[in-house]
Amino acid sequence: MAKLLRFDWAIKHLLRDKANFDILEGFLSELLRTDVIIESLLESEGNKENQDDKSNRVDLLVRTREQEQIIIEVQATMEWDYLSRLLYGTSKAITEYIQAGQPYRHIRKIISVSILFFNLGQGSDYIYHGSTEFRGIHHHDLLQLGENEQKAYGPDKTTSDIFPEYYLIKVNQFDEQISSHFDEWVYFLKNEKIDPSFTAKGIKSAAKKLDILSLSTDARRAYERYEENTHYEASMHESHYGRGKLEGLAEGKAEGLAEGEAKGKAEGLAEGKAAGLAEGLAEGELKGKIEIAKAMLNSGMSSAMIAQYTGLTIDQIDLVHRQIR
C-alpha cells in the first residue's frame, strides 16, 4: 500500500479544490450515514489560505439526501484548550452565515467534525457525537417543538435539528478493527494508507489523489516541511507539559526536602518543599522549552517561529543559538 498524504494537510491544500470534493463527500457521507453533496466552499476566516496559519478548518455548504442545506465545519488541529476552540468555531460559523436583518430561523444547521490526532478527554471510544436536547428536570420528558415552531422549522424537526452537532474522531484511539465503511476512513486517517479492498464512498478517489508521489517537487517539499513542523509541535507539547514538569517536580522535591530537613522543623520542611517545588517546576519548564528551541534551530526554523511555539523571547533564543554554534 502506498503512503498517502496526511488528511489534515490535504484539507488545507488539496480538498478545497472542487475537483477533489468527492473525497470529502465520501468521508462525510459515511460519517453522517446519508448522501452528502458539497455545494460550495464558504468564504470564511477558516478557509483563507495563509502560509503562517496553522488552522486546518474548512467550512462547506452541503446538501443531504433529504435536500437539507447544512454548514459542515471540518477541522484538524492540536490545541490544549480544544473544546473551547470548538465552541468558538461553531458560534463564529453561526454568525458568519446569517445575513443582516434575517430572522433567527434562517440560521443554518451547523455540524462540526473534528479529526483529532492527539488525546482529548477520557473515554474508550474513537468516535463521539454530541447534540443538544432539552429534558424536564422533574418529569424527564423530552421537549418537543410546538405547532408554531413546527411551522417555522418543519413538521419533523426536533430541537437537536436546530442546534449545532459535534463529531469528535479520536484517530489514535482506533484499534484498526474494520467493522464499517467509516472505519476504513479512520484506518486511513491513522495509517495514511488505504487497503485495495476498501469500498467506502470516496476512498478509492482518496487513494489516487492523495498519493505523495503525485505532488509536484515544490508541493512535496512544502508537505515535508509541514510534517517536520507537526513533529516539533508534538514534541513541544510532550516536553513542555511532560518532561520539563517531571524534572522540575523531582528537583523541587529534592531541594525542598534538603532545606526543610536542615531547618529541623515541620514548618521549615513544608516551606522548603513548597519553595523548591515552585522553583523546580519553573526551571524544568524552561529546560523543556530550551531543548525544543535547540532542535528547531538545528532544523533551520526562524527565531520568530520558535518564539511563537515555545514562548521564549527572541533574546533567549539568540542565547541558545550562540550556545549550539
Side-chain angles (χ1 to χ4, degrees):
M1 290 184 286
K3 183 174 175 62
L4 304 177
L5 297 167
R6 286 174 58 103
F7 199 66
D8 49 341
W9 187 87
I11 284 176
K12 186 167 185 177
H13 297 276
L14 295 180
L15 302 187
R16 302 176 189 224
D17 187 335
K18 190 173 183 179
N20 298 326
F21 276 1
D22 57 333
I23 297 175
L24 274 177
E25 286 175 346
F27 173 80
L28 294 171
S29 294
E30 297 293 3
L31 173 65
L32 303 179
R33 299 184 180 181
T34 186
D35 291 335
V36 168
I37 298 174
I38 297 175
E39 293 191 337
S40 63
L41 184 72
L42 296 170
E43 290 298 328
S44 73
E45 290 299 320
N47 287 340
K48 290 182 179 178
E49 287 281 356
N50 186 321
Q51 185 177 359
D52 297 324
D53 181 19
K54 295 192 295 178
S55 172
N56 298 99
R57 169 185 159 190
V58 57
D59 293 349
L60 306 166
L61 178 62
V62 307
R63 187 176 71 253
T64 67
R65 182 168 49 193
E66 293 77 18
Q67 297 301 307
E68 293 179 307
Q69 284 189 321
I70 298 175
I71 295 171
I72 304 256
E73 182 191 44
V74 180
Q75 50 188 343
T77 190
M78 178 182 289
E79 294 181 22
W80 293 107
D81 56 351
Y82 187 80
L83 292 175
S84 296
R85 182 193 185 282
L86 201 60
L87 176 61
Y88 174 80
T90 53
S91 301
K92 196 169 189 295
I94 289 172
T95 58
E96 281 181 350
Y97 304 124
I98 184 171
Q99 298 178 6
Q102 281 188 319
Y104 292 126
R105 64 184 177 86
H106 287 291
I107 292 176
R108 285 193 170 118
K109 172 76 171 184
I110 304 290
I111 297 179
S112 175
V113 179
S114 295
I115 303 168
L116 308 176
F117 295 94
F118 62 100
N119 294 327
L120 177 70
Q122 296 182 1
S124 59
D125 212 322
Y126 58 96
I127 303 175
Y128 287 86
H129 174 238
S131 61
T132 299
E133 62 180 23
F134 298 89
R135 290 193 174 274
I137 293 178
H138 300 98
H139 301 290
H140 309 293
D141 58 320
L142 185 65
L143 181 68
Q144 306 291 337
L145 296 183
E147 183 177 346
N148 291 332
E149 288 91 359
Q150 289 180 14
K151 290 179 181 178
Y153 298 111
D156 301 322
K157 298 297 182 182
T158 67
T159 56
S160 297
D161 295 317
I162 300 169
F163 289 85
E165 289 183 51
Y166 299 89
Y167 286 88
L168 304 177
I169 304 167
K170 301 179 67 172
V171 176
N172 295 337
Q173 209 152 297
F174 178 55
D175 61 5
E176 302 191 23
Q177 299 298 311
I178 308 297
S179 59
S180 68
H181 281 155
F182 189 69
D183 282 347
E184 296 177 359
W185 276 105
V186 184
Y187 179 92
F188 158 57
L189 294 175
K190 184 174 183 179
N191 298 287
E192 298 160 29
K193 296 178 181 179
I194 294 175
D195 192 282
S197 64
F198 288 174
T199 58
K201 186 174 182 179
I203 202 95
K204 298 290 187 185
S205 180
K208 179 180 179 181
K209 296 178 179 179
L210 301 185
D211 191 333
I212 293 176
L213 298 178
S214 66
L215 294 177
S216 66
T217 301
D218 290 342
R220 195 178 307 170
R221 287 173 180 168
Y223 176 68
E224 289 171 353
R225 288 195 299 270
Y226 177 81
E227 276 199 309
E228 290 177 2
N229 287 340
T230 57
H231 292 318
Y232 283 128
E233 185 173 348
S235 296
M236 181 191 71
H237 278 75
E238 181 180 351
S239 178
H240 181 64
Y241 290 92
R243 181 165 56 86
K245 285 191 175 181
L246 288 175
E247 290 178 357
L249 182 62
E251 293 178 12
K253 283 186 175 179
E255 292 177 11
L257 183 60
E259 184 180 344
E261 288 179 346
K263 290 183 177 180
K265 294 181 180 180
E267 294 84 353
L269 180 62
E271 292 176 2
K273 284 185 177 181
L277 278 172
E279 182 179 347
L281 282 171
E283 184 177 345
E285 287 190 9
L286 180 60
K287 285 183 178 179
K289 291 180 180 181
I290 289 173
E291 290 302 315
I292 293 301
K294 288 180 180 179
M296 289 180 170
L297 285 168
N298 287 331
S299 71
M301 294 182 68
S302 68
S303 296
M305 183 172 291
I306 295 171
Q308 180 181 355
Y309 274 111
T310 63
L312 294 173
T313 66
I314 297 297
D315 289 340
Q316 289 174 319
I317 295 168
D318 289 341
L319 180 60
V320 173
H321 198 187
R322 289 196 294 272
Q323 290 175 348
I324 63 177
R325 281 178 178 172

